[in-house]
mmCIF file of all heavy atoms in Angstrom:
data_model
loop_
_atom_site.group_PDB
_atom_site.id
_atom_site.type_symbol
_atom_site.label_atom_id
_atom_site.label_comp_id
_atom_site.label_asym_id
_atom_site.label_seq_id
_atom_site.Cartn_x
_atom_site.Cartn_y
_atom_site.Cartn_z
ATOM 1 N N GLN B 201 14.705 -2.524 -3.147
ATOM 2 C CA GLN B 201 14.303 -1.969 -4.412
ATOM 3 C C GLN B 201 13.849 -0.492 -4.175
ATOM 4 O O GLN B 201 13.662 -0.086 -3.041
ATOM 5 C CB GLN B 201 13.146 -2.749 -5.016
ATOM 6 C CG GLN B 201 13.517 -4.216 -5.276
ATOM 7 C CD GLN B 201 12.287 -5.054 -5.674
ATOM 8 O OE1 GLN B 201 11.204 -4.516 -5.924
ATOM 9 N NE2 GLN B 201 12.459 -6.367 -5.736
ATOM 10 N N ASP B 202 13.689 0.246 -5.268
ATOM 11 C CA ASP B 202 13.245 1.622 -5.143
ATOM 12 C C ASP B 202 11.915 1.716 -4.382
ATOM 13 O O ASP B 202 10.997 0.922 -4.636
ATOM 14 C CB ASP B 202 13.092 2.257 -6.540
ATOM 15 C CG ASP B 202 14.447 2.489 -7.216
ATOM 16 O OD1 ASP B 202 15.449 2.474 -6.512
ATOM 17 O OD2 ASP B 202 14.414 2.726 -8.423
ATOM 18 N N GLY B 203 11.844 2.630 -3.464
ATOM 19 C CA GLY B 203 10.608 2.853 -2.744
ATOM 20 C C GLY B 203 10.403 1.953 -1.545
ATOM 21 O O GLY B 203 9.396 2.114 -0.856
ATOM 22 N N VAL B 204 11.288 1.010 -1.283
ATOM 23 C CA VAL B 204 11.116 0.112 -0.142
ATOM 24 C C VAL B 204 11.582 0.791 1.116
ATOM 25 O O VAL B 204 12.679 1.428 1.188
ATOM 26 C CB VAL B 204 11.922 -1.197 -0.355
ATOM 27 C CG1 VAL B 204 11.903 -2.047 0.915
ATOM 28 C CG2 VAL B 204 11.298 -2.001 -1.481
ATOM 29 N N THR B 205 10.772 0.693 2.200
ATOM 30 C CA THR B 205 11.164 1.249 3.498
ATOM 31 C C THR B 205 11.955 0.218 4.284
ATOM 32 O O THR B 205 11.591 -0.954 4.339
ATOM 33 C CB THR B 205 9.887 1.602 4.309
ATOM 34 O OG1 THR B 205 9.150 2.603 3.571
ATOM 35 C CG2 THR B 205 10.258 2.141 5.670
ATOM 36 N N LEU B 206 13.089 0.692 4.852
ATOM 37 C CA LEU B 206 13.972 -0.224 5.616
ATOM 38 C C LEU B 206 14.103 0.310 7.034
ATOM 39 O O LEU B 206 14.007 1.514 7.308
ATOM 40 C CB LEU B 206 15.362 -0.294 4.943
ATOM 41 C CG LEU B 206 15.393 -0.799 3.511
ATOM 42 C CD1 LEU B 206 16.823 -0.684 2.960
ATOM 43 C CD2 LEU B 206 14.884 -2.222 3.419
ATOM 44 N N TYR B 207 14.351 -0.609 7.928
ATOM 45 C CA TYR B 207 14.629 -0.294 9.339
ATOM 46 C C TYR B 207 16.104 -0.534 9.659
ATOM 47 O O TYR B 207 16.654 -1.555 9.257
ATOM 48 C CB TYR B 207 13.794 -1.152 10.304
ATOM 49 C CG TYR B 207 12.294 -0.946 10.278
ATOM 50 C CD1 TYR B 207 11.435 -1.953 10.672
ATOM 51 C CD2 TYR B 207 11.756 0.257 9.852
ATOM 52 C CE1 TYR B 207 10.087 -1.767 10.667
ATOM 53 C CE2 TYR B 207 10.389 0.451 9.866
ATOM 54 C CZ TYR B 207 9.533 -0.545 10.269
ATOM 55 O OH TYR B 207 8.177 -0.366 10.251
ATOM 56 N N LEU B 208 16.698 0.393 10.376
ATOM 57 C CA LEU B 208 18.062 0.195 10.942
ATOM 58 C C LEU B 208 17.906 -0.039 12.438
ATOM 59 O O LEU B 208 17.531 0.877 13.156
ATOM 60 C CB LEU B 208 18.930 1.473 10.655
ATOM 61 C CG LEU B 208 20.355 1.451 11.197
ATOM 62 C CD1 LEU B 208 21.155 0.323 10.549
ATOM 63 C CD2 LEU B 208 21.029 2.779 10.968
ATOM 64 N N LEU B 209 18.215 -1.260 12.851
ATOM 65 C CA LEU B 209 17.878 -1.685 14.220
ATOM 66 C C LEU B 209 19.102 -2.334 14.858
ATOM 67 O O LEU B 209 20.039 -2.778 14.186
ATOM 68 C CB LEU B 209 16.716 -2.668 14.236
ATOM 69 C CG LEU B 209 15.438 -2.232 13.551
ATOM 70 C CD1 LEU B 209 14.494 -3.408 13.434
ATOM 71 C CD2 LEU B 209 14.811 -1.093 14.304
ATOM 72 N N GLN B 210 19.074 -2.405 16.199
ATOM 73 C CA GLN B 210 20.145 -3.157 16.923
ATOM 74 C C GLN B 210 19.931 -4.664 16.799
ATOM 75 O O GLN B 210 20.843 -5.424 16.697
ATOM 76 C CB GLN B 210 20.147 -2.726 18.396
ATOM 77 C CG GLN B 210 20.621 -1.289 18.567
ATOM 78 C CD GLN B 210 20.497 -0.841 19.997
ATOM 79 O OE1 GLN B 210 19.516 -1.140 20.679
ATOM 80 N NE2 GLN B 210 21.510 -0.090 20.462
ATOM 81 N N THR B 211 18.635 -5.099 16.815
ATOM 82 C CA THR B 211 18.268 -6.510 16.582
ATOM 83 C C THR B 211 17.057 -6.583 15.734
ATOM 84 O O THR B 211 16.287 -5.584 15.676
ATOM 85 C CB THR B 211 18.029 -7.233 17.932
ATOM 86 O OG1 THR B 211 16.894 -6.606 18.592
ATOM 87 C CG2 THR B 211 19.250 -7.165 18.817
ATOM 88 N N VAL B 212 16.786 -7.726 15.145
ATOM 89 C CA VAL B 212 15.628 -7.891 14.269
ATOM 90 C C VAL B 212 14.323 -7.664 15.016
ATOM 91 O O VAL B 212 13.381 -7.071 14.455
ATOM 92 C CB VAL B 212 15.651 -9.282 13.622
ATOM 93 C CG1 VAL B 212 14.334 -9.554 12.864
ATOM 94 C CG2 VAL B 212 16.808 -9.424 12.648
ATOM 95 N N ASP B 213 14.246 -8.069 16.266
ATOM 96 C CA ASP B 213 12.998 -7.960 17.006
ATOM 97 C C ASP B 213 12.981 -6.763 17.961
ATOM 98 O O ASP B 213 12.187 -6.690 18.877
ATOM 99 C CB ASP B 213 12.758 -9.229 17.822
ATOM 100 C CG ASP B 213 13.894 -9.549 18.794
ATOM 101 O OD1 ASP B 213 14.940 -8.847 18.765
ATOM 102 O OD2 ASP B 213 13.793 -10.521 19.541
ATOM 103 N N GLN B 214 13.827 -5.757 17.715
ATOM 104 C CA GLN B 214 13.852 -4.590 18.533
ATOM 105 C C GLN B 214 12.540 -3.796 18.472
ATOM 106 O O GLN B 214 11.927 -3.713 17.372
ATOM 107 C CB GLN B 214 14.952 -3.617 18.092
ATOM 108 C CG GLN B 214 15.060 -2.310 18.876
ATOM 109 C CD GLN B 214 16.072 -1.350 18.259
ATOM 110 O OE1 GLN B 214 17.026 -1.782 17.639
ATOM 111 N NE2 GLN B 214 15.881 -0.064 18.476
ATOM 112 N N MET B 215 12.049 -3.297 19.581
ATOM 113 C CA MET B 215 10.864 -2.489 19.609
ATOM 114 C C MET B 215 11.097 -1.153 18.894
ATOM 115 O O MET B 215 12.172 -0.522 19.106
ATOM 116 C CB MET B 215 10.405 -2.198 21.073
ATOM 117 C CG MET B 215 9.113 -1.496 21.180
ATOM 118 S SD MET B 215 7.701 -2.616 20.987
ATOM 119 C CE MET B 215 7.800 -3.583 22.491
ATOM 120 N N LEU B 216 10.217 -0.735 18.030
ATOM 121 C CA LEU B 216 10.380 0.518 17.346
ATOM 122 C C LEU B 216 10.199 1.678 18.313
ATOM 123 O O LEU B 216 9.300 1.692 19.173
ATOM 124 C CB LEU B 216 9.339 0.657 16.205
ATOM 125 C CG LEU B 216 9.469 -0.316 15.056
ATOM 126 C CD1 LEU B 216 8.381 -0.084 13.989
ATOM 127 C CD2 LEU B 216 10.828 -0.296 14.433
ATOM 128 N N LEU B 217 11.083 2.676 18.188
ATOM 129 C CA LEU B 217 11.035 3.797 19.109
ATOM 130 C C LEU B 217 9.968 4.838 18.739
ATOM 131 O O LEU B 217 9.576 5.604 19.563
ATOM 132 C CB LEU B 217 12.448 4.480 19.178
ATOM 133 C CG LEU B 217 13.576 3.556 19.662
ATOM 134 C CD1 LEU B 217 14.887 4.324 19.637
ATOM 135 C CD2 LEU B 217 13.299 3.069 21.080
ATOM 136 N N SER B 218 9.582 4.831 17.478
ATOM 137 C CA SER B 218 8.551 5.773 17.035
ATOM 138 C C SER B 218 7.836 5.199 15.812
ATOM 139 O O SER B 218 8.307 4.217 15.205
ATOM 140 C CB SER B 218 9.170 7.137 16.673
ATOM 141 O OG SER B 218 10.094 6.991 15.606
ATOM 142 N N ALA B 219 6.703 5.777 15.472
ATOM 143 C CA ALA B 219 5.935 5.281 14.324
ATOM 144 C C ALA B 219 6.668 5.656 13.035
ATOM 145 O O ALA B 219 7.333 6.689 12.915
ATOM 146 C CB ALA B 219 4.518 5.899 14.334
ATOM 147 N N THR B 220 6.548 4.822 12.040
ATOM 148 C CA THR B 220 7.085 5.113 10.757
ATOM 149 C C THR B 220 5.959 5.271 9.741
ATOM 150 O O THR B 220 4.869 4.740 9.918
ATOM 151 C CB THR B 220 8.020 3.977 10.239
ATOM 152 O OG1 THR B 220 7.239 2.794 10.115
ATOM 153 C CG2 THR B 220 9.146 3.734 11.218
ATOM 154 N N LYS B 221 6.232 6.019 8.655
ATOM 155 C CA LYS B 221 5.221 6.266 7.644
ATOM 156 C C LYS B 221 5.774 5.823 6.276
ATOM 157 O O LYS B 221 6.970 5.985 5.988
ATOM 158 C CB LYS B 221 4.814 7.744 7.567
ATOM 159 C CG LYS B 221 3.967 8.211 8.726
ATOM 160 C CD LYS B 221 3.451 9.602 8.521
ATOM 161 C CE LYS B 221 2.533 10.042 9.628
ATOM 162 N NZ LYS B 221 2.001 11.398 9.409
ATOM 163 N N GLU B 222 4.894 5.270 5.458
ATOM 164 C CA GLU B 222 5.287 4.792 4.131
ATOM 165 C C GLU B 222 4.178 5.137 3.164
ATOM 166 O O GLU B 222 3.006 4.806 3.385
ATOM 167 C CB GLU B 222 5.546 3.287 4.141
ATOM 168 C CG GLU B 222 5.991 2.730 2.798
ATOM 169 C CD GLU B 222 6.247 1.236 2.895
ATOM 170 O OE1 GLU B 222 5.898 0.604 3.917
ATOM 171 O OE2 GLU B 222 6.829 0.674 1.934
ATOM 172 N N ARG B 223 4.522 5.835 2.046
ATOM 173 C CA ARG B 223 3.524 6.189 1.051
ATOM 174 C C ARG B 223 3.458 5.075 0.000
ATOM 175 O O ARG B 223 4.492 4.564 -0.444
ATOM 176 C CB ARG B 223 3.864 7.521 0.376
ATOM 177 C CG ARG B 223 2.811 7.974 -0.605
ATOM 178 C CD ARG B 223 3.117 9.328 -1.171
ATOM 179 N NE ARG B 223 2.135 9.729 -2.147
ATOM 180 C CZ ARG B 223 0.963 10.326 -1.865
ATOM 181 N NH1 ARG B 223 0.670 10.563 -0.632
ATOM 182 N NH2 ARG B 223 0.151 10.666 -2.810
ATOM 183 N N ILE B 224 2.236 4.688 -0.385
ATOM 184 C CA ILE B 224 2.044 3.644 -1.382
ATOM 185 C C ILE B 224 1.716 4.280 -2.713
ATOM 186 O O ILE B 224 0.730 5.046 -2.797
ATOM 187 C CB ILE B 224 0.917 2.692 -0.960
ATOM 188 C CG1 ILE B 224 1.193 2.110 0.445
ATOM 189 C CG2 ILE B 224 0.732 1.552 -1.951
ATOM 190 C CD1 ILE B 224 0.022 1.409 1.066
ATOM 191 N N ASP B 225 2.467 3.959 -3.741
ATOM 192 C CA ASP B 225 2.190 4.468 -5.087
ATOM 193 C C ASP B 225 1.927 3.296 -5.989
ATOM 194 O O ASP B 225 2.706 2.321 -6.000
ATOM 195 C CB ASP B 225 3.358 5.298 -5.615
ATOM 196 C CG ASP B 225 3.546 6.588 -4.823
ATOM 197 O OD1 ASP B 225 2.613 7.367 -4.694
ATOM 198 O OD2 ASP B 225 4.687 6.814 -4.364
ATOM 199 N N PHE B 226 0.898 3.358 -6.791
ATOM 200 C CA PHE B 226 0.630 2.309 -7.748
ATOM 201 C C PHE B 226 -0.187 2.850 -8.905
ATOM 202 O O PHE B 226 -0.901 3.848 -8.763
ATOM 203 C CB PHE B 226 -0.112 1.105 -7.096
ATOM 204 C CG PHE B 226 -1.456 1.468 -6.544
ATOM 205 C CD1 PHE B 226 -2.620 1.365 -7.296
ATOM 206 C CD2 PHE B 226 -1.619 1.861 -5.243
ATOM 207 C CE1 PHE B 226 -3.865 1.680 -6.793
ATOM 208 C CE2 PHE B 226 -2.841 2.162 -4.677
ATOM 209 C CZ PHE B 226 -3.992 2.099 -5.477
ATOM 210 N N LEU B 227 -0.058 2.251 -10.067
ATOM 211 C CA LEU B 227 -0.801 2.596 -11.245
ATOM 212 C C LEU B 227 -2.113 1.805 -11.270
ATOM 213 O O LEU B 227 -2.087 0.558 -11.378
ATOM 214 C CB LEU B 227 -0.017 2.326 -12.492
ATOM 215 C CG LEU B 227 -0.640 2.717 -13.841
ATOM 216 C CD1 LEU B 227 -0.827 4.238 -13.900
ATOM 217 C CD2 LEU B 227 0.194 2.222 -15.009
ATOM 218 N N PRO B 228 -3.240 2.440 -11.198
ATOM 219 C CA PRO B 228 -4.525 1.690 -11.139
ATOM 220 C C PRO B 228 -4.751 0.887 -12.398
ATOM 221 O O PRO B 228 -4.351 1.263 -13.477
ATOM 222 C CB PRO B 228 -5.584 2.820 -10.986
ATOM 223 C CG PRO B 228 -4.845 3.981 -10.468
ATOM 224 C CD PRO B 228 -3.477 3.891 -11.042
ATOM 225 N N HIS B 229 -5.357 -0.258 -12.226
ATOM 226 C CA HIS B 229 -5.751 -1.091 -13.364
ATOM 227 C C HIS B 229 -6.859 -0.403 -14.124
ATOM 228 O O HIS B 229 -7.629 0.382 -13.570
ATOM 229 C CB HIS B 229 -6.160 -2.466 -12.864
ATOM 230 C CG HIS B 229 -6.326 -3.511 -13.963
ATOM 231 N ND1 HIS B 229 -7.452 -3.653 -14.671
ATOM 232 C CD2 HIS B 229 -5.413 -4.393 -14.456
ATOM 233 C CE1 HIS B 229 -7.270 -4.605 -15.585
ATOM 234 N NE2 HIS B 229 -6.064 -5.068 -15.458
ATOM 235 N N TYR B 230 -6.988 -0.687 -15.401
ATOM 236 C CA TYR B 230 -8.022 -0.040 -16.204
ATOM 237 C C TYR B 230 -9.407 -0.293 -15.666
ATOM 238 O O TYR B 230 -10.344 0.510 -15.896
ATOM 239 C CB TYR B 230 -7.928 -0.459 -17.667
ATOM 240 C CG TYR B 230 -8.069 -1.946 -17.910
ATOM 241 C CD1 TYR B 230 -9.322 -2.561 -17.955
ATOM 242 C CD2 TYR B 230 -6.967 -2.741 -18.089
ATOM 243 C CE1 TYR B 230 -9.465 -3.918 -18.132
ATOM 244 C CE2 TYR B 230 -7.069 -4.106 -18.321
ATOM 245 C CZ TYR B 230 -8.317 -4.686 -18.314
ATOM 246 O OH TYR B 230 -8.436 -6.039 -18.533
ATOM 247 N N ASP B 231 -9.621 -1.407 -14.979
ATOM 248 C CA ASP B 231 -10.959 -1.675 -14.449
ATOM 249 C C ASP B 231 -11.377 -0.625 -13.433
ATOM 250 O O ASP B 231 -12.586 -0.413 -13.232
ATOM 251 C CB ASP B 231 -10.973 -3.066 -13.760
ATOM 252 C CG ASP B 231 -11.278 -4.183 -14.727
ATOM 253 O OD1 ASP B 231 -11.625 -3.857 -15.871
ATOM 254 O OD2 ASP B 231 -11.167 -5.350 -14.354
ATOM 255 N N THR B 232 -10.425 0.065 -12.838
ATOM 256 C CA THR B 232 -10.752 1.125 -11.891
ATOM 257 C C THR B 232 -11.597 2.187 -12.641
ATOM 258 O O THR B 232 -12.526 2.776 -12.044
ATOM 259 C CB THR B 232 -9.491 1.770 -11.330
ATOM 260 O OG1 THR B 232 -8.687 0.757 -10.753
ATOM 261 C CG2 THR B 232 -9.801 2.835 -10.286
ATOM 262 N N LEU B 233 -11.242 2.476 -13.859
ATOM 263 C CA LEU B 233 -11.938 3.492 -14.643
ATOM 264 C C LEU B 233 -13.214 2.966 -15.298
ATOM 265 O O LEU B 233 -14.246 3.615 -15.344
ATOM 266 C CB LEU B 233 -11.006 4.072 -15.711
ATOM 267 C CG LEU B 233 -9.712 4.681 -15.205
ATOM 268 C CD1 LEU B 233 -8.866 5.159 -16.381
ATOM 269 C CD2 LEU B 233 -10.002 5.861 -14.317
ATOM 270 N N VAL B 234 -13.143 1.751 -15.852
ATOM 271 C CA VAL B 234 -14.238 1.274 -16.686
ATOM 272 C C VAL B 234 -15.319 0.526 -15.930
ATOM 273 O O VAL B 234 -16.435 0.359 -16.437
ATOM 274 C CB VAL B 234 -13.724 0.394 -17.856
ATOM 275 C CG1 VAL B 234 -12.770 1.184 -18.743
ATOM 276 C CG2 VAL B 234 -13.078 -0.876 -17.355
ATOM 277 N N LYS B 235 -15.021 0.044 -14.708
ATOM 278 C CA LYS B 235 -15.993 -0.750 -14.014
ATOM 279 C C LYS B 235 -16.444 -0.177 -12.675
ATOM 280 O O LYS B 235 -17.434 -0.573 -12.111
ATOM 281 C CB LYS B 235 -15.455 -2.162 -13.763
ATOM 282 C CG LYS B 235 -15.425 -2.989 -15.071
ATOM 283 C CD LYS B 235 -15.112 -4.445 -14.726
ATOM 284 C CE LYS B 235 -15.182 -5.313 -16.030
ATOM 285 N NZ LYS B 235 -14.889 -6.730 -15.724
ATOM 286 N N SER B 236 -15.702 0.797 -12.126
ATOM 287 C CA SER B 236 -16.030 1.274 -10.817
ATOM 288 C C SER B 236 -17.435 1.921 -10.782
ATOM 289 O O SER B 236 -18.096 1.924 -9.749
ATOM 290 C CB SER B 236 -14.987 2.294 -10.314
ATOM 291 O OG SER B 236 -13.798 1.613 -9.918
ATOM 292 N N GLY B 237 -17.854 2.502 -11.871
ATOM 293 C CA GLY B 237 -19.171 3.150 -11.903
ATOM 294 C C GLY B 237 -20.314 2.193 -12.107
ATOM 295 O O GLY B 237 -21.483 2.643 -12.089
ATOM 296 N N MET B 238 -20.079 0.913 -12.252
ATOM 297 C CA MET B 238 -21.140 -0.028 -12.532
ATOM 298 C C MET B 238 -21.802 -0.557 -11.271
ATOM 299 O O MET B 238 -22.822 -1.239 -11.379
ATOM 300 C CB MET B 238 -20.553 -1.194 -13.359
ATOM 301 C CG MET B 238 -20.109 -0.792 -14.758
ATOM 302 S SD MET B 238 -19.332 -2.135 -15.624
ATOM 303 C CE MET B 238 -20.694 -3.271 -15.804
ATOM 304 N N TYR B 239 -21.207 -0.286 -10.129
ATOM 305 C CA TYR B 239 -21.744 -0.728 -8.826
ATOM 306 C C TYR B 239 -21.734 -2.237 -8.694
ATOM 307 O O TYR B 239 -22.041 -2.733 -7.638
ATOM 308 C CB TYR B 239 -23.193 -0.219 -8.608
ATOM 309 C CG TYR B 239 -23.260 1.273 -8.508
ATOM 310 C CD1 TYR B 239 -23.748 2.043 -9.556
ATOM 311 C CD2 TYR B 239 -22.823 1.922 -7.365
ATOM 312 C CE1 TYR B 239 -23.799 3.417 -9.500
ATOM 313 C CE2 TYR B 239 -22.877 3.335 -7.300
ATOM 314 C CZ TYR B 239 -23.362 4.057 -8.297
ATOM 315 O OH TYR B 239 -23.413 5.414 -8.288
ATOM 316 N N GLU B 240 -21.475 -2.976 -9.720
ATOM 317 C CA GLU B 240 -21.367 -4.447 -9.693
ATOM 318 C C GLU B 240 -22.443 -5.031 -8.769
ATOM 319 O O GLU B 240 -23.650 -4.827 -9.013
ATOM 320 C CB GLU B 240 -19.934 -4.843 -9.280
ATOM 321 C CG GLU B 240 -18.944 -4.445 -10.345
ATOM 322 C CD GLU B 240 -17.544 -4.915 -10.127
ATOM 323 O OE1 GLU B 240 -17.109 -4.954 -8.976
ATOM 324 O OE2 GLU B 240 -16.902 -5.271 -11.100
ATOM 325 N N TYR B 241 -22.062 -5.737 -7.702
ATOM 326 C CA TYR B 241 -23.090 -6.383 -6.912
ATOM 327 C C TYR B 241 -23.976 -5.420 -6.151
ATOM 328 O O TYR B 241 -24.989 -5.743 -5.598
ATOM 329 C CB TYR B 241 -22.545 -7.449 -6.009
ATOM 330 C CG TYR B 241 -21.771 -6.970 -4.826
ATOM 331 C CD1 TYR B 241 -22.399 -6.640 -3.637
ATOM 332 C CD2 TYR B 241 -20.380 -6.905 -4.887
ATOM 333 C CE1 TYR B 241 -21.691 -6.250 -2.542
ATOM 334 C CE2 TYR B 241 -19.650 -6.479 -3.754
ATOM 335 C CZ TYR B 241 -20.286 -6.157 -2.599
ATOM 336 O OH TYR B 241 -19.601 -5.735 -1.515
ATOM 337 N N TYR B 242 -23.516 -4.123 -6.031
ATOM 338 C CA TYR B 242 -24.285 -3.170 -5.283
ATOM 339 C C TYR B 242 -25.606 -2.837 -5.957
ATOM 340 O O TYR B 242 -26.487 -2.255 -5.361
ATOM 341 C CB TYR B 242 -23.490 -1.899 -5.063
ATOM 342 C CG TYR B 242 -22.287 -2.115 -4.174
ATOM 343 C CD1 TYR B 242 -21.013 -1.725 -4.618
ATOM 344 C CD2 TYR B 242 -22.370 -2.752 -2.971
ATOM 345 C CE1 TYR B 242 -19.893 -1.962 -3.825
ATOM 346 C CE2 TYR B 242 -21.300 -3.010 -2.162
ATOM 347 C CZ TYR B 242 -20.007 -2.596 -2.608
ATOM 348 O OH TYR B 242 -18.933 -2.834 -1.826
ATOM 349 N N ALA B 243 -25.747 -3.144 -7.260
ATOM 350 C CA ALA B 243 -27.052 -2.997 -7.915
ATOM 351 C C ALA B 243 -28.052 -3.891 -7.173
ATOM 352 O O ALA B 243 -29.241 -3.546 -7.053
ATOM 353 C CB ALA B 243 -26.946 -3.396 -9.359
#
């Protein structure tokens, strides 16, 4: 699917020759805005 990172390898269990990087993008849930400032149990 769009945004999925894939490996091209000789075998499934081949050792990676170098580190790979993948950026994660997501739309935050509304609770991120309306509840994050409440400190919840941190009160």
